[in-house]
Amino acid sequence: MSEEKKERKKEEAAQLKAEIKEMREHLMGLQQTIRAKGLPIIVLVEGWAAAGKGSLINELISELDPRFYNVVSPVITPESESRYPFLYPYAKAIPENGKIMFYDSGWMEDCVRKYMHREITREEYKKRIGAVNEFERQLRDGGYLLLKLFVDIDGEEQRKRMRALRENFETEWRVTREDLWQQREYKLFRECYETFMEKTGKLIPWHVLDGKKKNQAARDALKLLTKQVDKALEEGRYVGKPFEEDFPLIKMPKLASVDLSPALTDEEYKKELKKLQKRLGELHNIIYRKKIPVILCYEGWDAAGKGGNIRRIARPLDPRGFDVMPIASPEPHELARQYLWRFWTRLPRSGHICIFDRTWYGRVMVERLEGFCSEDDWKRAFNEINEFERQLTDWGAVVLKFWIHIDQDTQLARFNDRQNTPEKQWKLTEEDWRNREKWPQYEAAIDEMLEKTSTENAPWFVIESNDKKYARIKTLKIVIDALEKACEAQLA
Amino acid sequence: MSEEKKERKKEEAAQLKAEIKEMREHLMGLQQTIRAKGLPIIVLVEGWAAAGKGSLINELISELDPRFYNVVSPVITPESESRYPFLYPYAKAIPENGKIMFYDSGWMEDCVRKYMHREITREEYKKRIGAVNEFERQLRDGGYLLLKLFVDIDGEEQRKRMRALRENFETEWRVTREDLWQQREYKLFRECYETFMEKTGKLIPWHVLDGKKKNQAARDALKLLTKQVDKALEEGRYVGKPFEEDFPLIKMPKLASVDLSPALTDEEYKKELKKLQKRLGELHNIIYRKKIPVILCYEGWDAAGKGGNIRRIARPLDPRGFDVMPIASPEPHELARQYLWRFWTRLPRSGHICIFDRTWYGRVMVERLEGFCSEDDWKRAFNEINEFERQLTDWGAVVLKFWIHIDQDTQLARFNDRQNTPEKQWKLTEEDWRNREKWPQYEAAIDEMLEKTSTENAPWFVIESNDKKYARIKTLKIVIDALEKACEAQLA
């Protein structure tokens, strides 16, 4: 190299470093505004083994306040998480408002690797790509800033780097068998990465960085990040517009048209209950063994009898294999994240049954009617929830949703009974009376919910509960029927 | 059997059922008071394989509101948790105030099984028994009601039950190889269980139930539970008295006597920093490989330079292997549990480094001085924290604690600088000024904390930080030194 060229190179390097320094400081200066405005940021760093993802992240965070960001490496999370939907570790790790989460490789690596290993079929792989697009859109629509980076190196460079790592005793362990396999199959991997980026880059684009030029990659990443943050802070929190997607829907009756007269005698009830609970207990064993996850969702009017109904389901179950998740109003750390987060983190492991006592449908009922979210938010939720539930059933879950239904007179009678019975008074709150006044608005919202979210894979069932005994038996039968089908399907 | 005898048997059975029903209803009636008074309850159900622990729990919960209790089976939690201290899954699962948590076997089974398998040595086993006693006492002293049940059956009965389970295709899987081994080694297990109960029954007694008589066991358990709940509700929340335990303490200087003049030139600082960070990065690799957990605790005066100090430690670390945990005031769901819970749940996995930016020592500083806990609470905390940290170091963790120290003049200068520099203003709050006014009270509390909690296994280091550069280098050196020793110790 000529002296002149060397000089120019040196100048360029100095220039690069100055740029990096400047942008880092700019980002540092933004921290407070990000926090004050509550902007949540996700930086997904994907790329080749040995491409330098870790050190790129280190460049990005080096001046940041540690209270302000976190780094997760979901790929190396415990095996146990394979008993959850594939997006589970990523959904679980989303940052709260005003913080940055760096994913040191994430859902791309996960999908591509499993597909390359043939741990998932081509069809499953396609579904996962669909789910990734849904997941990313939901985050964006929920106000998250999502930056997706891919650190690229060519096969020759990767080979050299891995050799260097393996020659040093201290770093040898860093090259896994998996990495060596990637190196051998570099071409196939490249194809697969490229297709993945193409299929998931439409809504939120990928940015490919040159991993061979470390400083340049750091500069480019910082530039992208600061630019997007500047823009997001200027424009304010993004709220996604609602839109309709095609889901295979089951036609539901309007609540007003539901006949609430069905009832059972004590004798019929006792006989049926015993028989059905015995059967459910047996099925629970099979479910557990076959590792089928089961999610039962309960919604219903106040005093409709949700609690007693749930208890009749829970009674024959082995307590080791099920959980009841009571859902109250969200806590601060839950409010600070996308609204489905608190449900993602409560999902059962495969083989377990989770009974949700109230659910994510709060979004299109109480949150809608009380104005706890914007109109766009709840309108978008119908689709988002359908997507979420499809991800659950694609994972293999049985998802059943019960609307425990009574009429207004029955509710009033039960409210009065509660008021007049000292042991039951705690069950009745001021809020129950207030909700009762809004019956017509709730009924309209519920009708819309049933119409738009009763999908073939995750259907709603209206449970007539003026007679609680009838309601319990009906619910038990539906659960048993669905579990029997799921067990048979897995057998085939 | 004579007719008369048969008749009597039948009567007894009916009597038993009536008692169970009555007590269940009584418990159901107590739910609201338990919730209102915020009493947290733990029911630990231990016992032989096939003794009927699960069905006993089912009897206890059958009338309870599912929003009110939960059942955990920590023994079958994922393998991943073996990368945490052995008490971790149990500490993680403690209930919040006003709720009941049933442990379907727990720390007893865990300890005994590991000891029988020789996964832990006799000495480790003894330590674990000590830790169990500490853990239980801390819960009791924190106001938890803890009921410990052991469901007993003899070897012959166990053999019969296991055979019956194995003969049925649906239940065959329930008998694990582990269970069969227990059956073969019944005698040894019995000895071990008995010793364990003897060693852990002094503070909170064990209650042995006859697993052969299912209804009687249910009745006895319900009786114990309702009686203890009645008592606890009557007497009000228990607050444990402080007491002194012997810990190998390191003599610490009074803060007032600390010479704060040490300083470094820019040149010295830069040179040292580079060298030390390089070394720390290398050590991080070894730590990761050897699966040594590392916990670095930062406390210090406002504006002492904690953040910058932490950043200098974090800089050379691989982001995949460390976390910074900023500790702010507790959230509602954290306040609703024993105060160490939010730290238990934030522990690093083995091989990872966790930097706590503020820690559990808040208990004996801000919570003490602001009256957020009772005098007994913070006085007890010195011991409780020493125990907690000993459990961490017994697990194999390196625990280092830094008090980042400055004098009042330096703090004032830094406060003024923050106030006058727009980008730094957010760092200074009203609270900082208020805390500053209480400097003497804080200093006394900190001196007491340093005196009582600088143990040989988890020492405090006072870091002179009037010169931040000096402070950073000193901290780095301490960390490096400790990690080198830990790596060598594991080699030997």
Side-chain angles (χ1 to χ4, degrees), chain A residues 24 28-29 31-32 35 53-55 57-59 61-73 76-80 96 99 104 169-171 173-174 279 282-286 288-289 306-307 310-312 314-327 331-333 349 352 357-358 423 426-427, chain B residues 24 28-29 31-32 35 53-55 57-59 61-73 76-80 96 99 104 169-171 173-174 279 282-286 288-289 306-307 310-312 314-327 331-333 349 352 357-358 423 426-427:
Chain A
R24 263 191 201 150
M28 193 170 60
Q31 284 182 100
Q32 254 333 87
R35 195 174 337 205
K53 298 187 289 286
S55 67
I57 290 176
N58 250 342
E59 290 292 326
I61 63 182
S62 83
E63 294 299 321
L64 295 179
D65 181 342
R67 273 162 289 196
F68 174 70
Y69 71 85
N70 250 301
V71 183
V72 277
S73 319
I76 54 158
T77 48
E79 321 63 58
S80 62
E96 58 187 308
K99 292 208 174 175
D104 189 346
F169 172 73
E170 296 286 291
T171 54
W173 61 279
R174 286 176 161 266
R279 180 62 188 143
E282 291 162 4
L283 282 166
H284 192 200
N285 269 325
I286 308 178
Y288 192 86
R289 214 159 15 107
K306 283 201 310 297
I310 290 173
R311 274 210 299 286
R312 295 326 180 280
R315 187 76 173 97
L317 303 179
D318 185 327
R320 270 163 279 210
F322 88 95
D323 259 313
V324 176
M325 285 290 166
I327 302 299
E331 304 235 21
H333 69 291
R349 290 202 291 150
H352 284 237
D357 183 358
R358 301 197 190 276
E423 315 89 81
W426 63 274
K427 284 186 161 190
Chain B
R24 261 191 202 151
M28 194 170 60
Q31 285 181 99
Q32 253 334 87
R35 196 178 332 207
K53 299 187 290 287
S55 67
I57 290 176
N58 250 342
E59 290 292 324
I61 63 181
S62 83
E63 296 298 321
L64 295 179
D65 181 342
R67 274 162 287 198
F68 175 68
Y69 71 85
N70 250 302
V71 183
V72 277
S73 320
I76 55 160
T77 47
E79 321 63 57
S80 62
E96 58 188 309
K99 293 209 174 175
D104 188 349
F169 170 73
E170 295 286 290
T171 53
W173 62 278
R174 285 176 163 268
R279 180 63 187 141
E282 290 163 5
L283 282 165
H284 192 201
N285 268 326
I286 308 178
Y288 192 88
R289 215 157 16 107
K306 283 202 310 296
I310 290 173
R311 273 209 300 286
R312 296 326 181 280
R315 187 78 172 96
L317 303 179
D318 185 329
R320 270 163 279 211
F322 88 96
D323 259 312
V324 177
M325 285 289 168
I327 302 298
E331 304 234 23
H333 69 292
R349 290 202 291 152
H352 285 236
D357 182 359
R358 302 198 189 275
E423 315 87 82
W426 64 275
K427 284 186 162 191

Side-chain angles (χ1 to χ4, degrees), chain A residues 241-392:
Chain A
K241 289 269 164 278
F243 65 96
E244 302 260 325
E245 232 178 308
D246 254 352
F247 279 93
L249 293 174
I250 294 170
K251 181 122 183 73
M252 295 297 288
K254 292 276 176 211
L255 286 186
S257 73
V258 173
D259 173 14
L260 283 165
S261 66
L264 289 179
T265 65
D266 276 3
E267 218 162 313
E268 289 169 320
Y269 172 64
K270 274 193 186 155
K271 212 180 103 194
E272 285 278 293
L273 184 68
K274 207 173 164 188
K275 192 186 77 188
L276 294 171
Q277 285 187 332
K278 185 165 174 287
R279 180 62 188 143
L280 183 57
E282 291 162 4
L283 282 166
H284 192 200
N285 269 325
I286 308 178
I287 287 292
Y288 192 86
R289 214 159 15 107
K290 296 200 175 195
K291 296 201 166 56
I292 300 172
V294 179
I295 295 166
L296 306 179
C297 302
Y298 275 78
E299 292 283 358
W301 299 105
D302 292 327
K306 283 201 310 297
N309 199 308
I310 290 173
R311 274 210 299 286
R312 295 326 180 280
I313 300 280
R315 187 76 173 97
L317 303 179
D318 185 327
R320 270 163 279 210
F322 88 95
D323 259 313
V324 176
M325 285 290 166
I327 302 299
S329 30
E331 304 235 21
H333 69 291
E334 297 170 333
L335 276 174
R337 290 180 174 89
Q338 203 255 7
Y339 71 102
L340 288 176
W341 181 77
R342 64 183 182 131
F343 304 104
W344 272 107
T345 52
R346 282 173 164 91
L347 291 178
R349 290 202 291 150
S350 61
H352 284 237
I353 296 180
C354 185
I355 303 177
F356 282 94
D357 183 358
R358 301 197 190 276
T359 66
W360 39 94
Y361 284 97
R363 192 71 166 184
V364 295
M365 293 194 289
V366 55
E367 291 180 38
R368 164 182 180 175
L369 290 176
E370 302 293 337
F372 296 151
C373 63
S374 74
E375 192 177 329
D376 280 342
D377 283 339
W378 65 258
K379 283 194 169 164
R380 231 172 42 235
F382 296 117
N383 253 315
E384 290 174 339
I385 287 174
N386 283 341
E387 291 171 347
F388 173 57
E389 291 175 355
R390 188 171 53 193
Q391 288 162 22
L392 297 179

